[in-house]
Each structure stands twice: as structure tokens, then as C-alpha cells.
Amino acid sequence: MKTKTPQEKKELSYAKDCRNTYSENDKSSRKNIPLRKAKAHRSYRKKVNDILQTSLKNTDTESVEVIENTVKSIRKDNWKKSSDMPLGELVELQLDFRKNNAGKGKTARKKIRETVENLENQIEQESNLWVARAKSLPNISAIDETPEKAVEKLKYLVKAAIGNDSGFDITILINGKLTKPTLEETEQLCY
């Protein structure tokens, strides 16, 4: 018998070992799988016993054959545990999930929040409305009746644009249309 290298052992483990991916507590499976099997057997026995108890009074040969046929026609509940996923597939799924969701956590949200808080604003009044613009982002502006509301709208728009550039999926309503603003848009974003 040839001894295996650690790489061969790992490859075999990834191919043959399985993990429960039923999305429950894996420790509860130790109790729940045997319990579900036992419930299927119990329900079958109960159905058979109910038929036999009700028909014990009639013991002539014709009724015995009828009872036997009805008992044979009873089907067991077919409960089967869902199959486990091979370890190699599970590890691959987890690595894909990490790669796709990297940088979308608490740290990314904190950076976005800090950027929006430190944003330098330029506020102008045009007719009866106030226009707020970010000095570092000239293509983004917000218009409202008061300067405070215009600045709040601008912050919200910048936050959505930076979030979408960072990989978040933020959709907001601008001029009656649902859009996903980004910082790289060439046209003027006005909210």
C-alpha cells in the first residue's frame, strides 16, 4: 500500500468528505434525522394498527382478506435526508462568496460615511432655490428650498454614488426615475 502525500490526502478529502448545508444548526441534525425517520415509521405503524383495531370484530375469511389487502395498500411516508454537499464544492462556494463580498462590510461603510461628512460644499442661491455642490465632485449637485435641505440631499446623493462605486447596490429616485448614481457618470447628477 502506497502512502499518500498531504496534497493527495487533501484532494481525496475534498472529493469524498461531505458537509451538511441544510442551513440548520449542524448539531441538531444528530437528533432531527433519526427523529424524522422514526416519525415516518410510527405513522405507518399507527395507520396499520388503526385498520386492525377497527376490523378485529369481523374475523370471517372474506373480511380477513379485505383487511390484509388494505394493510398492504398502505404506503410508508418516504422521508429522506437531503444529500450533503462535497467539501470541495462547499469550499469553492465560500471562497466565491468572500471574493464577491470583499470590501462591502463595516469598514467600507465607515469610509463612505467619513467621506460624506468631510465633504466640502458650495452653496448658491438661484432664484428661489438653493443649489449645493461638492467642490471635489463637480458633476453632482442638489437643489432644494432651503440650504440645509440642499446640503442633506447632496450628502445623500454623494453617499449613494460612492456606495455604488464601492460595490453596493443603491438605487434612489432622481427626477422621478430610479437610478443608481456613480461618481464616473459624465452627465450632471442633480437631485
Side-chain angles (χ1 to χ4, degrees):
M1 184 173 164
K2 181 188 167 202
T3 57
K4 295 180 179 81
T5 64
Q7 292 80 8
E8 291 171 333
K9 288 179 183 178
K10 185 173 188 175
E11 195 174 306
L12 273 174
S13 172
Y14 274 17
K16 291 185 176 182
D17 293 352
C18 292
R19 294 293 183 265
N20 186 356
T21 55
Y22 189 67
S23 299
E24 281 188 356
N25 180 355
D26 57 342
K27 307 299 185 259
S28 70
S29 296
R30 283 184 272 174
K31 293 179 182 178
N32 290 336
I33 292 170
L35 180 67
R36 293 290 301 266
K37 286 182 181 178
K39 281 184 177 182
H41 294 305
R42 279 184 213 143
S43 68
Y44 172 74
R45 286 196 308 264
K46 182 172 179 1
K47 290 174 190 173
V48 170
N49 286 335
D50 286 347
I51 290 172
L52 291 175
Q53 291 296 324
T54 57
S55 57
L56 272 178
K57 298 168 188 165
N58 303 332
T59 54
D60 53 333
T61 57
E62 289 179 12
S63 63
V64 169
E65 289 176 11
V66 170
I67 294 168
E68 187 177 340
N69 289 336
T70 54
V71 167
K72 285 181 181 177
S73 69
I74 295 174
R75 298 274 175 231
K76 277 189 179 181
D77 294 337
N78 264 347
W79 182 84
K80 273 196 156 190
K81 177 189 168 298
S82 60
S83 60
D84 292 338
M85 182 182 284
L87 182 59
E89 288 179 27
L90 180 66
V91 168
E92 195 174 304
L93 279 175
Q94 289 174 338
L95 290 175
D96 286 343
F97 180 79
R98 278 189 208 160
K99 188 172 84 176
N100 293 336
N101 293 312
K104 293 183 184 176
K106 216 192 288 189
T107 308
R109 290 191 299 269
K110 183 179 177 184
K111 283 182 183 177
I112 292 169
R113 192 170 47 250
E114 287 174 356
T115 305
V116 171
E117 287 172 2
N118 297 329
L119 196 65
E120 289 186 35
N121 303 323
Q122 179 181 351
I123 302 169
E124 300 172 359
Q125 186 174 14
E126 293 179 6
S127 64
N128 294 334
L129 298 175
W130 290 86
V131 179
R133 288 187 182 87
K135 287 185 179 179
S136 57
L137 306 167
N139 65 332
I140 297 178
S141 61
I143 302 171
D144 210 314
E145 296 170 352
T146 64
E148 294 83 18
K149 286 184 180 179
V151 169
E152 283 301 312
K153 275 186 167 183
L154 178 70
K155 286 183 177 181
Y156 186 71
L157 182 60
V158 169
K159 187 176 180 181
I162 293 172
N164 284 333
D165 282 354
S166 300
F168 293 97
D169 189 24
I170 303 169
T171 306
I172 61 174
L173 190 68
I174 298 176
N175 299 331
K177 295 179 185 175
L178 283 175
T179 56
K180 292 181 187 175
T182 60
L183 295 175
E184 292 148 6
E185 290 183 20
T186 54
E187 60 187 53
Q188 181 77 16
L189 276 175
C190 189
Y191 182 43

